[in-house]
Amino acid sequence: MGTALVILAAGLGTRMRSDLPKVLHEVAGTSLLAHAIRAGRALAPERVIVVAGHGAEAVEAAAREVEPEAQVVRQHEQLGTAHAVAQAAPALEGFAGDVVVLYGDTPFIRPETLSAMAAARGGADIVVLGFDAADPGRYGRLVTEGDRLKRIVEYKDTTEAERAITLCNSGVMAAEAAALMDLVAAVGNDNASGEYYLTDVVALGAARGLTAGVVACDEAETLGINSRAELAAAEAAFQARARAEALETGVTLAAPETVHFAFDTAIGRDAVVEPFVVFGPGVTVETGARIRAFSHLEGCHVARGAEVGPYARLRPGAELEEDARVGNFVEVKNARLGAGAKANHLAYLGDAEVGAGANIGAGTITCNYDGVSKHRTEIGAGAFIGSDTMLVAPVRVGAGALTASGSVITDDVPDAALAIGRARQETKPGLARKLMDRLRAQASRRGKEAG
Ligand code: UD1
Ligand code: CA
């Protein structure tokens, strides 16, 4: 029997004080919504349904980016989480399995936890994911009797005795689709907020003879984000875990607290990451590579033994093959550096192919953009690009070719050729002194006139 994921993502999240829908705020380089969708993949869902409201178009686009098959339904007014789930009814047409509800503002649920919930469905009609909170704050409380869940009380509706309960509701819930949709349709809004609470399905179900159980997980997984402070706390929690994992898998981090990871950063064993390095999404660093201090990497691949930085920037599509080197103040975008190729100082390599062992001199720029389109530069193996060469793309420099410093290269350079594209130097003996004398004399005349 299959699973359908229903992800609630309609709220604006007023406490964020933002024009951006809450679920599109980012942790570790990707939206809260994308985190929730990825977490749900553990259940190999047959359908992924996102309930959008505020900023629905942007939410839909973000959902499709991670899950092209996602169905996005609208909740025009945010009347509560039960009302939100009810909007998924048309998208669940003809679906007979279990529904798992996830909240779009709760990004860290682990795959193992969702699997444990699916397994617990064998023993209960409704399974709720709970956690024992150090500070239960404003979370909904789970009222249990033995190992049965009797009902969930929202914070605003708790009695003093209920407020003392530390077992809290994460928002994740699993039940058979038809039963759940029947229950959400029956939920009323007679409570402190006047909202239709999804949490009420537990008590309603009990009245109809349906059982409910709790699967407990670590509080860190259920962190729900409602404010900027909670967003920052979530980022900090993510980074702490990512650093610990990197160390655990054999990565050297000299100052772990200064390295910033993305949700999908992959770093091989024995790689070294120096202090103050930022990884955006889509980075893979292989075994033994070294990322030196103050570098910024995203959407790139750094092969074994390659070295990046200090102060380097690798943008999407940068590909460093084995033992390649990219040094300080070098920017690489959509470009491959073959094995052992070097660009050690002050260069821009965009839309380029650099052959193995080629040497890119300081100040080299691939002029890849003509104001309308991007063009490619090809540099052959073992080529030597002299300092301050402008490579006006599309252009090709052959294997073993050499460009003279300061050249503007507009025509292809054959293999092994030398290309010089610069004004010829003229040297005038003694002229510097004459020129200076004249300038000083002029300045002193002006001084006398003024004084
Ligand atoms: C909810 C739970 C609470 C739980 C907490 C865990 C309810 C009634 N309460 O409270 O028991 O402890 O999460 O974090 O479910 N949403 C919609 N449409 C709506 C209302 C909400 O899509 O009409 C979405 C929000 O965008 C959000 C999620 O549902 O992603 C949760 O809503 P939120 O208002 O944040 O609920 P909490 O008050 O945090
Ligand atoms: Ca919330």
Side-chain angles (χ1 to χ4, degrees):
M1 216 177 35
T3 305
L5 273 186
V6 173
I7 302 180
L8 305 193
L12 177 60
T14 13
R15 283 173 59 213
M16 296 297 285
R17 315 245 184 278
S18 173
D19 295 332
L20 191 68
K22 176 164 72 172
V23 298
L24 297 188
H25 284 267
E26 294 190 346
V27 165
T30 193
S31 66
L32 300 178
L33 177 63
H35 279 282
I37 295 176
R38 288 199 179 89
R41 284 198 183 137
L43 298 167
E46 277 172 23
R47 301 187 191 187
V48 175
I49 303 159
V50 175
V51 182
H54 282 282
E57 269 144 46
V59 169
E60 178 160 356
R64 291 264 160 73
E65 213 173 286
V66 225
E67 186 55 67
E69 305 284 289
Q71 303 178 66
V72 179
V73 298
R74 302 284 164 108
Q75 185 194 26
H76 295 287
E77 264 185 294
Q78 282 66 63
L79 302 178
T81 43
H83 180 258
V85 173
Q87 309 312 305
L92 285 167
E93 199 70 52
F95 176 78
D98 265 15
V99 165
V100 173
V101 179
L102 296 179
Y103 288 174
D105 67 350
T106 307
F108 298 144
I109 311 279
R110 287 187 315 140
E112 295 80 353
T113 302
L114 291 178
S115 306
M117 286 188 70
R121 270 276 294 119
D125 297 307
I126 303 172
V127 175
V128 169
L129 181 64
F131 61 102
D132 207 28
D135 168 17
R138 307 184 64 83
Y139 285 115
R141 306 296 207 267
L142 301 185
V143 181
T144 51
E145 230 175 76
D147 59 1
R148 284 290 168 219
L149 175 63
K150 289 293 152 190
R151 60 202 167 81
I152 308 177
V153 196
E154 281 310 288
Y155 175 78
K156 285 186 187 164
D157 303 300
T158 46
T159 62
E160 205 167 321
E162 286 163 342
R163 242 167 278 158
I165 299 173
T166 56
L167 185 61
C168 293
N169 177 32
S170 69
V172 185
M173 186 182 281
E176 191 267 318
L180 181 69
M181 296 318 276
D182 273 355
L183 289 170
V184 293
V187 167
N189 66 346
D190 183 15
N191 54 51
S193 322
E195 281 184 26
Y196 297 87
Y197 290 157
L198 176 61
T199 45
D200 282 352
V201 303
V202 173
L204 275 177
R208 296 177 181 189
L210 298 178
T211 58
V214 180
V215 164
C217 70
D218 201 69
E219 186 172 359
E221 287 183 53
T222 63
L223 194 78
I225 292 155
N226 304 295
S227 65
R228 303 273 184 170
E230 286 169 358
L231 186 68
E235 183 73 58
F238 177 90
Q239 296 301 333
R241 274 200 302 276
R243 289 162 190 153
E245 269 169 37
L247 294 168
E248 188 59 36
T249 54
V251 178
T252 297
L253 303 176
E257 68 287 359
T258 66
V259 177
H260 200 91
F261 292 93
F263 70 101
D264 60 349
T265 308
I267 306 189
R269 180 191 161 106
D270 286 321
V272 176
V273 180
E274 294 184 3
F276 298 101
V277 170
V278 175
F279 294 100
V283 178
T284 312
V285 175
E286 307 270 358
T287 293
R290 188 177 191 99
I291 312 298
R292 306 201 53 199
F294 299 103
S295 294
H296 190 286
L297 294 81
E298 76 186 295
C300 62
H301 175 242
V302 179
R304 281 169 178 265
E307 194 170 309
V308 175
Y311 297 100
R313 177 153 186 224
L314 300 188
R315 290 174 53 206
E319 169 83 36
L320 269 55
E321 293 187 351
E322 288 191 18
D323 304 317
R325 265 166 170 264
V326 164
N328 42 259
F329 308 110
V330 173
E331 175 179 343
V332 182
K333 183 218 73 170
N334 190 27
R336 175 199 304 273
L337 267 72
K342 290 192 183 86
N344 275 338
H345 346 257
L346 296 161
Y348 172 61
L349 298 172
D351 303 307
E353 181 81 35
V354 177
N359 193 313
I360 310 294
T364 295
I365 288 177
T366 53
C367 310
N368 60 328
Y369 186 49
D370 57 17
V372 178
S373 316
K374 302 279 169 69
H375 303 282
R376 291 193 67 79
T377 299
E378 272 180 58
I379 297 169
F384 183 94
I385 306 298
S387 295
D388 201 27
T389 298
M390 301 292 119
L391 297 155
V392 183
V395 74
R396 186 179 173 281
V397 176
L402 196 152
T403 69
S405 300
S407 290
V408 178
I409 302 295
T410 52
D411 298 330
D412 288 357
V413 181
D415 290 358
L418 164 67
I420 309 177
R422 64 184 184 210
R424 198 171 274 284
Q425 178 174 333
E426 272 184 71
T427 308
K428 317 249 178 186
L431 203 65
R433 185 175 309 133
K434 269 192 205 159
L435 181 66
M436 295 302 271
D437 288 348
R438 197 165 73 217
L439 292 174
R440 285 195 191 97
Q442 279 170 1
S444 110
R445 257 200 315 280
R446 273 200 306 276
K448 277 182 196 137
E449 280 162 23

